[in-house]
Structures are given as C-alpha cells and as structure tokens.
Amino acid sequence: MPELPEVETIKSSLQSNVGVRIVRVELRREDIVRQKDFAIGEIEGQTITALERRAKFLDFSLADGRHLVLHMGMSGRIYQAPADQVPAEKHIHLLLFLNNGRCLVYQDPRRFGGVWLLDKTERLFSRLGVEPLTAAFTPAYLSRAVKGRKIAIKSLLLDQRLISGIGNIYADEALFAAGIRPQRPAGSLNEEELKALVRAVKKVLRQGIRQRGTTFRDFRDGDNRVGTFQNYLQVYGRGEEPCRHCGQPLQVERVGGRSAHFCPHCQK
DNA sequence: CGCTAGTCCTGTCTGC
DNA sequence: TGCAGACAGGACTAGC
C-alpha cells in the first residue's frame, strides 16, 4: 500500500514524536518482527531521536543508537492516538506508549509488512537502490540500469534494488506522464525517453507528497487521515475510462504479475 | 540471467 | 443472504 509519498507523509505527520520517550511497549503478535538484534522490551525508556524514511521503510532512531524499523506492506498503518484511547480494532500488532500522552498504533491486516529491531540499519538498507527524489537519480543512472535489459520498464521501476520507493500506483502514473507504455522492454528506451521518465518519476512522487499520499482504500497518515492524490490519478484504478488527455479508453493489462494501467494512444 | 508463478495474509467486491 | 472466486498499493523465492 504505502509507497514513497505515503511513507513520507506518515513520517511528516509523526515528526512531533521525535524527542519523546517510549514508556511502554505492547507487542501483540511476535511474528511481525522480521529481524531482531535485541529484545523488544529494550526500547522501553528510550527516547526517539530521529524519524526518517528510507524507500518504503520508516526508521525510528533510538537514543542508544539502535533502530526500530517498520514496513507497511500492502495494508499497514501507523498512526498516533491518545494513550488512553487505544482503538478497539482488529489487527493492531504493536503499540508504543509515549510520555507525551500519545501512543503509536501499528496495524496491518494482511501482515505483509513487518518490524525490524536493528543495531544498525545497514544490513536492511544496503540492498536498496537509489532514492528517486535525490540528485543521484539521473537519466545517466537510469540509462546504466536499463542497458541491455529486456524486462518491462514498469517491472524495472518496481525493482527496489535499482530504484527504491516506487510502487504500482506511482509506476503507472510516471509512465503515463512520460508517454511510455509499461510493457516496453527497458533497454529499448532512448535517451530522450529516459530523461522524460526520470523527470516524470520525480514529478509524480512530489505531487503525491504534496497531496499527502493516495488513499485508494487503506492508506492513512500518522493522524489517521486520508490523502488526496487519488483525485489526480491519470491512469491508476481508472479501468477503461476515457483518458483525461486524449479521451480514448484506457487499458489494463498484467505486466510482471501486476496490473498495469495505461493509455494506448498517449503512451508509446 | 530473465521471467513467471507461487507464497505470505485479510478484506472487499462481483457474480451467481 | 450465502458463497465462491478474483483481486488488492509489496517483496521474496523456487523453478524453468
């Protein structure tokens, strides 16, 4: 569910908890912990010193230098609530009670997400590719990444080892904005198209962040509020509705096992 | 190496 | 109203 703009939105909305101490932890499901360098109880009494995003991961730095890292998978949420009003909802797996009167609620029905308790984030983050909103993501970088590759360009955009943070919605939106069909072999893109694609990826991700994410159904920010980028989607989730640009019906096809939305007229 | 299909889960929607 | 089946924003693995 949450892609880069959604995780970035969650991060911003939870920033006020930096500098706050975790007084009590309630782990309701042990099996959501994917990797454990230390026991969950050891985060009790610790202050959150930073909250950052890496790809689709949310990274809580703790005062002792260790990290609590979360991934939302398809259906995960993390939001703050008054500590004395913990929601009586299903699939709440982790609660962090803070000394500012709030608690952080981690909820994930499908459990494709998870929690990492790490001494260092290196092992988890080192296999991730470039952050698409940094200066390191350039046409030259993408050109090297696609060279000789027959894989569909959309699948390549979703490969977190190359570019980290793009998911199904923003991949489709970026390809539409760049005028490139999702099933095109990556290596077939010319310099001009690569340039357009880099620009389009940055553009749609920034728009997504500005609109505080896309709420198709599940996404909520750190205050449990919906985003608004769904009102600006050009292709994703629009089925065979008319293209907003040319009026021709959009098309949905499976590409690399994922649904791909595109305009056969506007995208080449 | 490249790609597909299967896997992990629950919830929701569609069609009968 | 019940039920079966398809599908969902992610990421990993096995196997051809």
Side-chain angles (χ1 to χ4, degrees):
Chain A
M1 177 220 358
E3 305 181 28
L4 185 155
E6 286 72 36
V7 181
E8 186 68 24
T9 300
I10 293 171
K11 186 198 87 173
S12 313
S13 52
L14 294 180
Q15 250 345 284
S16 58
N17 298 298
V18 172
V20 168
R21 190 155 39 87
I22 300 166
V23 293
R24 191 168 69 82
V25 178
E26 190 180 322
L27 179 63
R28 295 183 177 177
R29 271 199 82 114
E30 290 275 352
D31 62 4
I32 64 158
V33 179
R34 300 283 195 91
Q35 201 177 318
K36 189 168 65 171
D37 294 340
F38 53 90
I40 184 88
E42 293 181 40
I43 72 174
E44 287 187 349
Q46 288 203 55
T47 297
I48 299 167
T49 54
L51 178 56
E52 287 157 305
R53 179 192 61 73
R54 175 71 176 96
K56 302 174 193 172
F57 293 91
L58 200 56
D59 174 16
F60 290 82
S61 295
L62 305 172
D64 66 356
R66 301 202 281 199
H67 299 260
L68 170 71
V69 178
L70 297 178
H71 195 291
M72 261 58 74
M74 289 275 232
S75 58
R77 289 179 185 172
I78 172 128
Y79 59 90
Q80 53 194 354
D84 58 356
Q85 289 174 42
V86 175
E89 285 179 16
K90 291 168 77 176
H91 311 299
I92 291 174
H93 308 312
L94 177 67
L95 292 163
L96 303 179
F97 292 91
L98 309 174
N99 75 340
N100 61 359
R102 297 182 192 147
C103 71
L104 296 179
V105 181
Y106 177 71
Q107 185 177 29
D108 183 13
R110 291 178 75 182
R111 276 180 278 137
F112 286 0
V115 175
W116 286 256
L117 303 169
L118 303 173
D119 289 334
K120 290 186 161 125
T121 55
E122 180 64 14
R123 254 190 305 165
L124 184 60
F125 292 168
S126 62
R127 48 198 162 120
L128 294 170
V130 68
E131 283 281 335
L133 288 181
T134 63
F137 182 54
T138 60
Y141 176 88
L142 189 58
S143 178
R144 276 192 297 276
V146 301
K147 195 162 186 177
R149 302 286 309 267
K150 292 174 188 162
I151 191 176
I153 184 61
K154 164 159 177 169
S155 303
L156 186 132
L157 289 179
L158 293 175
D159 187 340
Q160 303 297 301
R161 294 166 301 182
L162 297 173
I163 308 152
S164 60
I166 301 173
N168 213 28
I169 295 177
Y170 294 93
D172 282 359
E173 292 298 312
L175 286 164
F176 175 81
I180 299 163
R181 293 198 191 192
Q183 47 282 85
R184 280 272 301 281
S188 76
L189 272 61
N190 63 35
E191 290 305 313
E192 197 185 337
E193 290 172 319
L194 292 169
K195 207 173 144 189
L197 185 52
V198 167
R199 201 178 320 170
V201 163
K202 289 176 190 275
K203 188 180 87 172
V204 299
L205 292 175
R206 287 202 187 102
Q207 284 178 330
I209 292 170
R210 209 175 310 129
Q211 295 300 323
R212 305 186 55 78
T214 304
T215 299
F216 226 75
R217 62 159 41 99
D218 295 325
F219 172 69
R220 297 293 185 279
D221 71 7
D223 295 310
N224 214 0
R225 290 190 312 210
V226 298
T228 55
F229 193 59
Q230 63 279 10
N231 302 323
Y232 300 87
L233 295 176
Q234 300 298 305
V235 287
Y236 185 85
R238 299 196 58 233
E240 277 144 49
E241 287 173 48
C243 172
R244 297 196 204 281
H245 189 247
C246 72
Q248 306 270 354
L250 298 174
Q251 218 168 300
V252 187
E253 261 179 43
R254 297 204 81 80
V255 175
R258 313 292 300 275
S259 62
H261 311 70
F262 64 101
C263 172
H265 181 253
C266 296
Q267 292 170 258
K268 307 293 173 200

